Amino acid sequence: MKKLTTSVLAVVLSSSFAVVSAQKVQDTAKTQDIEGVVVTALGIKREKKSLGYASQEIKASALSDGTTNTGNIASQLSGKIAGLNVTTTNNFGGSANLLIRGVKTLGGGNPLIVIDGSPVNNNTTFGANIDYGNALSDINQDNIESINVLKGAAASALYGERGLNGVIVIVTKNGKGKDDGSWGVTLSSSIQSGFIDKSTFPKYQSKYGGGYDPSFYTEDPAPDGHYYANFAEDASWGPQFDPNLLVYQWDAFDPTSPNYGKATPWVAAKNGPIKFFNNPVTYVNSISLEKGQKGKNIAFTYENMMSDGLMPNSHINKNNFSLKINYDLTDKLHSSFFSTLTLQDTRGRNITGYSDNTIGGFRQWWQTNVDLIGQRDAYFNNVKNPTPFNNYGNVTWNMVDSSDHRPIFWNNPYFAAYENYSSDKRTRSFSYGQLTYDIAKNFSVTGKVSQDRINLMIENRLAVGSLAQAFGNSGKDVGSGYARQDITQTETNYDLYANYKFDITSDINVSGVVGGNIRRNYYNSIYNSTEGGLVVPHVYALGNSALPMLTSDENVYTTQTNSGYATASFDFYKTFYLDATWRIDQSSTLPKANNVYNYPSVTGSFIASELLKVDWMNFWKIRANYAEVGSTASQYMLNQYYKSVAHYNGFEMIYGSQTTLPNPDLKPQKSKEFEVGTEVHFLKDRITLDFAYYKTKTTNQIINLPISTAAGLINASINAGRIDNTGYEVQLGLVPIKTTDFTWNIDANWSKNKNQVVSLLHNDVSDVSNILLNSFQGGVSLNAREGEAWGTIIGSDYVYLNGQPVVNPTTGRYLRQGNQVIGNTTPDWIGGVRNTINYKGFSLSFLIDVRKGGDVFSLDQYYGLATGLYEGTENYRESGTIWPGVNPNGQVNTTVTVDPESFGSLDGYQYMPAKRFVYDGSFVKLREASIGYTLPKSLLTGTSIHDAKISIVGRNLWIIHKNLPFADPEAQVGGGINSYGYSIGSLPTTRDIGVNVTFKF
């Protein structure tokens, strides 16, 4: 990796370095023009030159013009912001995890999302092994004017308990209209299609077929002397292929198959699992109406997105409506209103994780002789006349035996896709209303109310004829069922604040904000399912339950935080800037003695270029800051609570308590950060550089600590632990060429974060040096361990002698030692490089996205190598292999592995240390590329069109380098804690190519 990454970066960086902050390059020495105005915390507009902390703004054009529409604006930030690590899953409609300046708390944590000064929900919904995405996917990218990433504590301190993980500030567009005051109309249309990157899907060996060893032993030979295939065995460590050998395979027992009753040649399938996938197509169409003049403007946008997934029977239909009005009621009274409504209907999200995951089966448990097109035809032919004899259309290759055609491990993949699909409907609305009154020239008062509301209805189906599996409220194995969950979430914010600005002298002034906020969050979820299966097939309703249903699983809570805040920004001679902020929070989820706490910050910046006058350096700023931010407790952590779990005697209730011991003395988590940095512009902005160094210490972690189950509980909530983050961030911009017709901009960002779990809990009662964060199969887990970076992977490792793995001289297999640190999910560094070239009406851009380090445990490799699926496993089956290493006596190993002919005997599974399946998660990707052409105005003369552009865009076009075989190292299970260190059953990555057309009237 080191050599390849270095060479790739050498090529890229030699021709491109860029600040992704999308600021327009201007050949001017005026400092204010150079830096411009940006939107910071609470929607406050500031001159960027005055800021004493690192922030990075990206304009809408740099955000979306150079790539296909992903449907989730979070994923389109990847590679564009120094210090922002974006992990995008391949799940259909799935999550994109955002992390700024490293993990600061044991549970991970995403940054706060703010739209026009009002916070919105970006939670990830995950349940029943399905990723329902993060809520930021509801934001219509056509509404976005800019995004400003507030990285450190000083930048986010005004958000107090919500500023711990940084803030992403989204500014929406205002209506502009045309010069003559008439309506402006923009029509945009795009179509894009995806094509599987074959490096992210298994390459199968084609020498051996289904079975756990080389024999056909499931059943005796048929009367005509031909063998039966090993129907019941979901591995490919079976008999060697021989085109002259005729075998009764699964399709010989399907009356609709042309091979019915026939023994067919024992050969590798012509159509492997890659044929299961579609080429996903996405259509995005939008119309925008806007009109604006002094004192009033309006903008309306409607967007429709229709997208098919890789999997059969997967589809998203999303409609987004938005309206923004700014209107001056009088010369002193100004009003603003914004509302957006998203209606999304999704069908066929892919299963994640291990159980019942079709893609996981393709990667781990499969027979290379099974033809996918045959399975497809079997499903569609039989589902026309579903009967118990054909398992209601579930004709599977993995049946019990020749006389019992029920599935043993596998449903027919098409039956699973078309019958056992999930669906969800989401309604999302976000609105705010704001009034500002100018009491005096430099003093105004603003009142604002905003509400973010999400309604989500989820349905899961298990069709009659399915393989029995754990399902529903009870988790019992059933062959059919229906489950439904309804979730409602709201966040309402009430703000009242005053803006002031006073000149202390002609060269010294002070400005700031004083105000307060009341935030109320509400959550309501109800879940239930049928029990014992469905009475009537294909009727998916709770009333179709074969047995009485359990009590519904209901969760509801309301929380409130009351806050006050104040800021003061001093400007000394346009050269020295000093800022201070203070916020006090009162949280309803903490005990009365600890529920009021405050967060200060102080920043300073010095514009050195105002004193150091040199022609070649037109701007130089030095900055430093210190700040404190935090995070409160979740709901219901202070007192015991009870949930109804069942009925007794038809009317009495049985209640179960929570499994975590409450703590009435909890305190808020607190993070302290120190940051220094500098920003310098050379040669009239032809070269720009921004550098930051920071050190963060987060204490009073709220930990769910495992305790003895003798108390009837599993965990206890406590304050303990400390996590430190230290890092560097660099943004670099170059303009190698700039003429009247030709401009070449090169933008780059690079960041390195060092994370360490400094301490957990040590006292007279407990001595804890490791916290379990997530458990994987294969005895592997994700952990927070003292002295290590957060995200330590623990499992079995090789036994080493002088740095060499030790091999048992008797068996020829590696010796193992358990409970070892075998990896860490934290990247060494991340970076991105964008080149943008404009020549007259033509534009060309591409983005290289790089992650170095960050380990991944692959369960696909753990099982897939053992089952003999992967290319290369065929090479040592008969004779075994000699694993590199030494014997316990230090001599080079020469022992051939024993019994190489059976499942799992050579590679994969429990015969290898888990370390064998931990891979470096580095990657270098051509993340985005586009070619565009804007029609000359002369061609549009005489038409109602005043601007027209067509672009060819692409995303994930080339994985230039990766170390994880047959999968994308970025494609993890889901969002949040599920986005770290675990590769299992992910969809393959697609190369997406599209055409965008935009007309402005």
mmCIF file of all heavy atoms in Angstrom, residues 54 82-83 100-102 104 673-677 691-697 724-730 750-756 827-829:
data_model
loop_
_atom_site.group_PDB
_atom_site.id
_atom_site.type_symbol
_atom_site.label_atom_id
_atom_site.label_comp_id
_atom_site.label_asym_id
_atom_site.label_seq_id
_atom_site.Cartn_x
_atom_site.Cartn_y
_atom_site.Cartn_z
ATOM 1 N N ALA A 54 -10.796 27.267 12.563
ATOM 2 C CA ALA A 54 -10.842 26.672 11.225
ATOM 3 C C ALA A 54 -12.276 26.346 10.848
ATOM 4 O O ALA A 54 -13.021 25.744 11.616
ATOM 5 C CB ALA A 54 -9.996 25.401 11.182
ATOM 6 N N ALA A 82 -11.178 19.121 4.605
ATOM 7 C CA ALA A 82 -10.086 18.667 5.462
ATOM 8 C C ALA A 82 -10.625 18.365 6.855
ATOM 9 O O ALA A 82 -11.307 19.188 7.469
ATOM 10 C CB ALA A 82 -9.008 19.740 5.551
ATOM 11 N N GLY A 83 -10.350 17.169 7.360
ATOM 12 C CA GLY A 83 -10.777 16.788 8.695
ATOM 13 C C GLY A 83 -12.124 16.122 8.756
ATOM 14 O O GLY A 83 -12.540 15.669 9.831
ATOM 15 N N ILE A 100 -16.004 14.341 12.193
ATOM 16 C CA ILE A 100 -15.111 15.490 12.130
ATOM 17 C C ILE A 100 -14.067 15.377 13.238
ATOM 18 O O ILE A 100 -14.406 15.226 14.406
ATOM 19 C CB ILE A 100 -15.895 16.807 12.288
ATOM 20 C CG1 ILE A 100 -16.917 16.969 11.152
ATOM 21 C CG2 ILE A 100 -14.948 17.993 12.300
ATOM 22 C CD1 ILE A 100 -17.790 18.189 11.295
ATOM 23 N N ARG A 101 -12.810 15.415 12.861
ATOM 24 C CA ARG A 101 -11.687 15.412 13.806
ATOM 25 C C ARG A 101 -11.731 14.233 14.788
ATOM 26 O O ARG A 101 -11.448 14.389 15.967
ATOM 27 C CB ARG A 101 -11.640 16.738 14.562
ATOM 28 C CG ARG A 101 -11.245 17.915 13.685
ATOM 29 C CD ARG A 101 -11.030 19.193 14.486
ATOM 30 N NE ARG A 101 -10.464 20.241 13.624
ATOM 31 C CZ ARG A 101 -10.174 21.473 14.039
ATOM 32 N NH1 ARG A 101 -10.391 21.813 15.300
ATOM 33 N NH2 ARG A 101 -9.662 22.352 13.203
ATOM 34 N N GLY A 102 -12.058 13.072 14.301
ATOM 35 C CA GLY A 102 -11.923 11.860 15.088
ATOM 36 C C GLY A 102 -13.064 11.593 16.047
ATOM 37 O O GLY A 102 -13.898 12.458 16.324
ATOM 38 N N LYS A 104 -14.765 11.217 19.452
ATOM 39 C CA LYS A 104 -14.549 11.891 20.736
ATOM 40 C C LYS A 104 -15.261 11.198 21.893
ATOM 41 O O LYS A 104 -14.946 11.475 23.058
ATOM 42 C CB LYS A 104 -15.005 13.346 20.637
ATOM 43 C CG LYS A 104 -14.256 14.149 19.574
ATOM 44 C CD LYS A 104 -14.798 15.555 19.461
ATOM 45 C CE LYS A 104 -14.077 16.324 18.366
ATOM 46 N NZ LYS A 104 -14.339 15.785 17.020
ATOM 47 N N GLU A 673 -10.847 21.849 23.881
ATOM 48 C CA GLU A 673 -9.995 21.826 22.691
ATOM 49 C C GLU A 673 -9.180 23.114 22.574
ATOM 50 O O GLU A 673 -9.678 24.211 22.802
ATOM 51 C CB GLU A 673 -10.829 21.651 21.428
ATOM 52 C CG GLU A 673 -9.998 21.549 20.146
ATOM 53 C CD GLU A 673 -10.835 21.299 18.923
ATOM 54 O OE1 GLU A 673 -11.064 20.122 18.597
ATOM 55 O OE2 GLU A 673 -11.280 22.278 18.296
ATOM 56 N N PHE A 674 -7.933 22.916 22.187
ATOM 57 C CA PHE A 674 -7.030 24.025 21.871
ATOM 58 C C PHE A 674 -6.636 23.893 20.404
ATOM 59 O O PHE A 674 -6.342 22.797 19.921
ATOM 60 C CB PHE A 674 -5.786 23.965 22.759
ATOM 61 C CG PHE A 674 -4.697 24.893 22.327
ATOM 62 C CD1 PHE A 674 -4.800 26.263 22.525
ATOM 63 C CD2 PHE A 674 -3.555 24.404 21.699
ATOM 64 C CE1 PHE A 674 -3.795 27.127 22.108
ATOM 65 C CE2 PHE A 674 -2.538 25.258 21.289
ATOM 66 C CZ PHE A 674 -2.666 26.625 21.491
ATOM 67 N N GLU A 675 -6.633 25.027 19.689
ATOM 68 C CA GLU A 675 -6.334 24.995 18.264
ATOM 69 C C GLU A 675 -5.512 26.221 17.878
ATOM 70 O O GLU A 675 -5.745 27.333 18.366
ATOM 71 C CB GLU A 675 -7.632 25.004 17.451
ATOM 72 C CG GLU A 675 -7.448 25.087 15.942
ATOM 73 C CD GLU A 675 -8.768 25.335 15.222
ATOM 74 O OE1 GLU A 675 -9.806 24.781 15.648
ATOM 75 O OE2 GLU A 675 -8.751 26.082 14.227
ATOM 76 N N VAL A 676 -4.535 26.008 17.008
ATOM 77 C CA VAL A 676 -3.787 27.107 16.403
ATOM 78 C C VAL A 676 -3.756 26.863 14.897
ATOM 79 O O VAL A 676 -3.858 25.721 14.434
ATOM 80 C CB VAL A 676 -2.345 27.207 16.943
ATOM 81 C CG1 VAL A 676 -2.346 27.592 18.413
ATOM 82 C CG2 VAL A 676 -1.588 25.890 16.731
ATOM 83 N N GLY A 677 -3.630 27.953 14.153
ATOM 84 C CA GLY A 677 -3.591 27.790 12.706
ATOM 85 C C GLY A 677 -3.162 29.049 12.009
ATOM 86 O O GLY A 677 -2.982 30.108 12.620
ATOM 87 N N PHE A 691 -3.653 26.016 7.386
ATOM 88 C CA PHE A 691 -3.123 24.942 8.231
ATOM 89 C C PHE A 691 -3.711 25.072 9.627
ATOM 90 O O PHE A 691 -3.862 26.188 10.152
ATOM 91 C CB PHE A 691 -1.601 25.018 8.311
ATOM 92 C CG PHE A 691 -0.996 24.104 9.344
ATOM 93 C CD1 PHE A 691 -0.792 22.760 9.066
ATOM 94 C CD2 PHE A 691 -0.661 24.588 10.601
ATOM 95 C CE1 PHE A 691 -0.249 21.913 10.023
ATOM 96 C CE2 PHE A 691 -0.121 23.750 11.559
ATOM 97 C CZ PHE A 691 0.086 22.405 11.270
ATOM 98 N N ALA A 692 -4.046 23.938 10.234
ATOM 99 C CA ALA A 692 -4.572 23.939 11.602
ATOM 100 C C ALA A 692 -3.983 22.778 12.378
ATOM 101 O O ALA A 692 -3.787 21.673 11.839
ATOM 102 C CB ALA A 692 -6.102 23.839 11.598
ATOM 103 N N TYR A 693 -3.704 23.040 13.649
ATOM 104 C CA TYR A 693 -3.307 22.001 14.597
ATOM 105 C C TYR A 693 -4.254 22.092 15.787
ATOM 106 O O TYR A 693 -4.573 23.191 16.258
ATOM 107 C CB TYR A 693 -1.874 22.198 15.083
ATOM 108 C CG TYR A 693 -1.528 21.344 16.296
ATOM 109 C CD1 TYR A 693 -1.176 20.014 16.157
ATOM 110 C CD2 TYR A 693 -1.589 21.882 17.583
ATOM 111 C CE1 TYR A 693 -0.874 19.230 17.269
ATOM 112 C CE2 TYR A 693 -1.293 21.112 18.696
ATOM 113 C CZ TYR A 693 -0.940 19.779 18.530
ATOM 114 O OH TYR A 693 -0.653 19.007 19.629
ATOM 115 N N TYR A 694 -4.717 20.945 16.276
ATOM 116 C CA TYR A 694 -5.658 20.938 17.398
ATOM 117 C C TYR A 694 -5.359 19.786 18.350
ATOM 118 O O TYR A 694 -4.754 18.777 17.971
ATOM 119 C CB TYR A 694 -7.103 20.824 16.894
ATOM 120 C CG TYR A 694 -7.375 19.553 16.122
ATOM 121 C CD1 TYR A 694 -7.762 18.378 16.765
ATOM 122 C CD2 TYR A 694 -7.219 19.519 14.731
ATOM 123 C CE1 TYR A 694 -8.004 17.214 16.051
ATOM 124 C CE2 TYR A 694 -7.443 18.357 14.024
ATOM 125 C CZ TYR A 694 -7.838 17.210 14.682
ATOM 126 O OH TYR A 694 -8.065 16.045 13.977
ATOM 127 N N LYS A 695 -5.799 19.965 19.565
ATOM 128 C CA LYS A 695 -5.706 18.915 20.586
ATOM 129 C C LYS A 695 -6.982 18.960 21.407
ATOM 130 O O LYS A 695 -7.354 20.000 21.954
ATOM 131 C CB LYS A 695 -4.492 19.106 21.480
ATOM 132 C CG LYS A 695 -4.286 17.965 22.481
ATOM 133 C CD LYS A 695 -2.988 18.123 23.241
ATOM 134 C CE LYS A 695 -2.779 16.975 24.239
ATOM 135 N NZ LYS A 695 -2.701 15.662 23.574
ATOM 136 N N THR A 696 -7.663 17.838 21.480
ATOM 137 C CA THR A 696 -8.963 17.741 22.150
ATOM 138 C C THR A 696 -8.905 16.694 23.253
ATOM 139 O O THR A 696 -8.357 15.599 23.045
ATOM 140 C CB THR A 696 -10.063 17.355 21.149
ATOM 141 O OG1 THR A 696 -10.052 18.276 20.056
ATOM 142 C CG2 THR A 696 -11.431 17.370 21.800
ATOM 143 N N LYS A 697 -9.494 17.034 24.397
ATOM 144 C CA LYS A 697 -9.598 16.088 25.510
ATOM 145 C C LYS A 697 -11.072 15.997 25.920
ATOM 146 O O LYS A 697 -11.665 16.994 26.316
ATOM 147 C CB LYS A 697 -8.744 16.543 26.697
ATOM 148 C CG LYS A 697 -8.839 15.608 27.907
ATOM 149 C CD LYS A 697 -7.877 16.020 29.020
ATOM 150 C CE LYS A 697 -8.298 17.326 29.667
ATOM 151 N NZ LYS A 697 -7.446 17.670 30.830
ATOM 152 N N ASP A 724 -8.576 11.328 23.881
ATOM 153 C CA ASP A 724 -7.838 12.462 23.329
ATOM 154 C C ASP A 724 -7.750 12.344 21.816
ATOM 155 O O ASP A 724 -7.623 11.239 21.260
ATOM 156 C CB ASP A 724 -6.417 12.516 23.897
ATOM 157 C CG ASP A 724 -6.389 12.995 25.340
ATOM 158 O OD1 ASP A 724 -7.473 13.268 25.905
ATOM 159 O OD2 ASP A 724 -5.288 13.082 25.902
ATOM 160 N N ASN A 725 -7.824 13.492 21.150
ATOM 161 C CA ASN A 725 -7.607 13.565 19.706
ATOM 162 C C ASN A 725 -6.623 14.693 19.416
ATOM 163 O O ASN A 725 -6.761 15.810 19.938
ATOM 164 C CB ASN A 725 -8.910 13.838 18.959
ATOM 165 C CG ASN A 725 -9.802 12.623 18.873
ATOM 166 O OD1 ASN A 725 -9.661 11.794 17.976
ATOM 167 N ND2 ASN A 725 -10.740 12.505 19.806
ATOM 168 N N THR A 726 -5.630 14.394 18.619
ATOM 169 C CA THR A 726 -4.660 15.386 18.187
ATOM 170 C C THR A 726 -4.545 15.299 16.679
ATOM 171 O O THR A 726 -4.470 14.192 16.133
ATOM 172 C CB THR A 726 -3.280 15.134 18.818
ATOM 173 O OG1 THR A 726 -3.416 15.097 20.241
ATOM 174 C CG2 THR A 726 -2.299 16.221 18.436
ATOM 175 N N GLY A 727 -4.533 16.454 16.016
ATOM 176 C CA GLY A 727 -4.509 16.351 14.567
ATOM 177 C C GLY A 727 -4.010 17.575 13.850
ATOM 178 O O GLY A 727 -3.812 18.653 14.424
ATOM 179 N N TYR A 728 -3.828 17.368 12.535
ATOM 180 C CA TYR A 728 -3.370 18.412 11.628
ATOM 181 C C TYR A 728 -4.310 18.439 10.428
ATOM 182 O O TYR A 728 -4.773 17.389 9.958
ATOM 183 C CB TYR A 728 -1.948 18.128 11.133
ATOM 184 C CG TYR A 728 -0.938 17.878 12.220
ATOM 185 C CD1 TYR A 728 -0.745 16.595 12.745
ATOM 186 C CD2 TYR A 728 -0.157 18.918 12.732
ATOM 187 C CE1 TYR A 728 0.176 16.355 13.739
ATOM 188 C CE2 TYR A 728 0.780 18.683 13.721
ATOM 189 C CZ TYR A 728 0.940 17.394 14.224
ATOM 190 O OH TYR A 728 1.858 17.168 15.224
ATOM 191 N N GLU A 729 -4.569 19.631 9.923
ATOM 192 C CA GLU A 729 -5.394 19.802 8.729
ATOM 193 C C GLU A 729 -4.715 20.791 7.786
ATOM 194 O O GLU A 729 -4.204 21.828 8.219
ATOM 195 C CB GLU A 729 -6.783 20.326 9.089
ATOM 196 C CG GLU A 729 -7.599 19.359 9.932
ATOM 197 C CD GLU A 729 -8.806 20.022 10.558
ATOM 198 O OE1 GLU A 729 -8.938 21.265 10.469
ATOM 199 O OE2 GLU A 729 -9.618 19.288 11.155
ATOM 200 N N VAL A 730 -4.716 20.441 6.509
ATOM 201 C CA VAL A 730 -4.106 21.308 5.506
ATOM 202 C C VAL A 730 -5.071 21.456 4.335
ATOM 203 O O VAL A 730 -5.619 20.469 3.828
ATOM 204 C CB VAL A 730 -2.773 20.730 4.991
ATOM 205 C CG1 VAL A 730 -2.181 21.652 3.927
ATOM 206 C CG2 VAL A 730 -1.789 20.534 6.132
ATOM 207 N N TRP A 750 -5.874 17.656 3.176
ATOM 208 C CA TRP A 750 -5.230 16.511 3.845
ATOM 209 C C TRP A 750 -5.383 16.705 5.341
ATOM 210 O O TRP A 750 -5.283 17.822 5.859
ATOM 211 C CB TRP A 750 -3.751 16.457 3.468
ATOM 212 C CG TRP A 750 -2.969 15.364 4.147
ATOM 213 C CD1 TRP A 750 -2.792 14.090 3.707
ATOM 214 C CD2 TRP A 750 -2.238 15.462 5.382
ATOM 215 N NE1 TRP A 750 -1.999 13.378 4.587
ATOM 216 C CE2 TRP A 750 -1.649 14.199 5.624
ATOM 217 C CE3 TRP A 750 -2.039 16.483 6.304
ATOM 218 C CZ2 TRP A 750 -0.872 13.930 6.750
ATOM 219 C CZ3 TRP A 750 -1.266 16.231 7.422
ATOM 220 C CH2 TRP A 750 -0.685 14.960 7.643
ATOM 221 N N SER A 751 -5.665 15.613 6.038
ATOM 222 C CA SER A 751 -5.785 15.707 7.497
ATOM 223 C C SER A 751 -5.351 14.401 8.138
ATOM 224 O O SER A 751 -5.531 13.311 7.571
ATOM 225 C CB SER A 751 -7.221 16.040 7.918
ATOM 226 O OG SER A 751 -8.130 15.069 7.456
ATOM 227 N N LYS A 752 -4.776 14.542 9.315
ATOM 228 C CA LYS A 752 -4.321 13.382 10.081
ATOM 229 C C LYS A 752 -4.794 13.566 11.514
ATOM 230 O O LYS A 752 -4.558 14.614 12.133
ATOM 231 C CB LYS A 752 -2.800 13.266 10.051
ATOM 232 C CG LYS A 752 -2.228 12.117 10.875
ATOM 233 C CD LYS A 752 -0.711 12.087 10.773
ATOM 234 C CE LYS A 752 -0.097 10.952 11.605
ATOM 235 N NZ LYS A 752 -0.506 9.624 11.138
ATOM 236 N N ASN A 753 -5.479 12.567 12.041
ATOM 237 C CA ASN A 753 -5.971 12.612 13.419
ATOM 238 C C ASN A 753 -5.428 11.419 14.195
ATOM 239 O O ASN A 753 -5.531 10.276 13.745
ATOM 240 C CB ASN A 753 -7.502 12.590 13.451
ATOM 241 C CG ASN A 753 -8.047 12.685 14.862
ATOM 242 O OD1 ASN A 753 -8.119 13.764 15.439
ATOM 243 N ND2 ASN A 753 -8.428 11.539 15.435
ATOM 244 N N LYS A 754 -4.837 11.691 15.338
ATOM 245 C CA LYS A 754 -4.367 10.632 16.231
ATOM 246 C C LYS A 754 -5.318 10.548 17.418
ATOM 247 O O LYS A 754 -5.495 11.516 18.155
ATOM 248 C CB LYS A 754 -2.953 10.899 16.719
ATOM 249 C CG LYS A 754 -2.401 9.805 17.626
ATOM 250 C CD LYS A 754 -0.987 10.102 18.101
ATOM 251 C CE LYS A 754 -0.467 9.007 19.017
ATOM 252 N NZ LYS A 754 0.915 9.303 19.508
ATOM 253 N N ASN A 755 -5.911 9.397 17.584
ATOM 254 C CA ASN A 755 -6.908 9.182 18.631
ATOM 255 C C ASN A 755 -6.348 8.221 19.680
ATOM 256 O O ASN A 755 -5.630 7.280 19.344
ATOM 257 C CB ASN A 755 -8.186 8.605 18.008
ATOM 258 C CG ASN A 755 -9.237 8.212 19.017
ATOM 259 O OD1 ASN A 755 -9.165 7.167 19.646
ATOM 260 N ND2 ASN A 755 -10.250 9.062 19.144
ATOM 261 N N GLN A 756 -6.685 8.468 20.955
ATOM 262 C CA GLN A 756 -6.262 7.549 22.014
ATOM 263 C C GLN A 756 -7.300 7.513 23.132
ATOM 264 O O GLN A 756 -7.768 8.557 23.596
ATOM 265 C CB GLN A 756 -4.915 7.953 22.604
ATOM 266 C CG GLN A 756 -4.393 6.944 23.641
ATOM 267 C CD GLN A 756 -3.050 7.335 24.202
ATOM 268 O OE1 GLN A 756 -2.732 8.515 24.316
ATOM 269 N NE2 GLN A 756 -2.229 6.356 24.565
ATOM 270 N N PRO A 827 -8.365 5.578 10.541
ATOM 271 C CA PRO A 827 -7.442 5.834 9.420
ATOM 272 C C PRO A 827 -6.205 6.599 9.889
ATOM 273 O O PRO A 827 -6.253 7.382 10.840
ATOM 274 C CB PRO A 827 -8.270 6.698 8.462
ATOM 275 C CG PRO A 827 -9.686 6.549 8.893
ATOM 276 C CD PRO A 827 -9.660 6.255 10.359
ATOM 277 N N ASP A 828 -5.094 6.383 9.195
ATOM 278 C CA ASP A 828 -3.881 7.157 9.468
ATOM 279 C C ASP A 828 -4.059 8.596 8.994
ATOM 280 O O ASP A 828 -3.677 9.536 9.680
ATOM 281 C CB ASP A 828 -2.681 6.526 8.758
ATOM 282 C CG ASP A 828 -2.408 5.116 9.247
ATOM 283 O OD1 ASP A 828 -2.713 4.818 10.414
ATOM 284 O OD2 ASP A 828 -1.895 4.308 8.459
ATOM 285 N N TRP A 829 -4.632 8.751 7.806
ATOM 286 C CA TRP A 829 -4.935 10.078 7.276
ATOM 287 C C TRP A 829 -5.931 9.960 6.139
ATOM 288 O O TRP A 829 -6.141 8.880 5.586
ATOM 289 C CB TRP A 829 -3.676 10.825 6.825
ATOM 290 C CG TRP A 829 -2.788 10.126 5.834
ATOM 291 C CD1 TRP A 829 -1.669 9.391 6.118
ATOM 292 C CD2 TRP A 829 -2.921 10.104 4.397
ATOM 293 N NE1 TRP A 829 -1.098 8.915 4.968
ATOM 294 C CE2 TRP A 829 -1.836 9.344 3.896
ATOM 295 C CE3 TRP A 829 -3.822 10.663 3.503
ATOM 296 C CZ2 TRP A 829 -1.659 9.115 2.530
ATOM 297 C CZ3 TRP A 829 -3.649 10.440 2.140
ATOM 298 C CH2 TRP A 829 -2.571 9.676 1.672
#
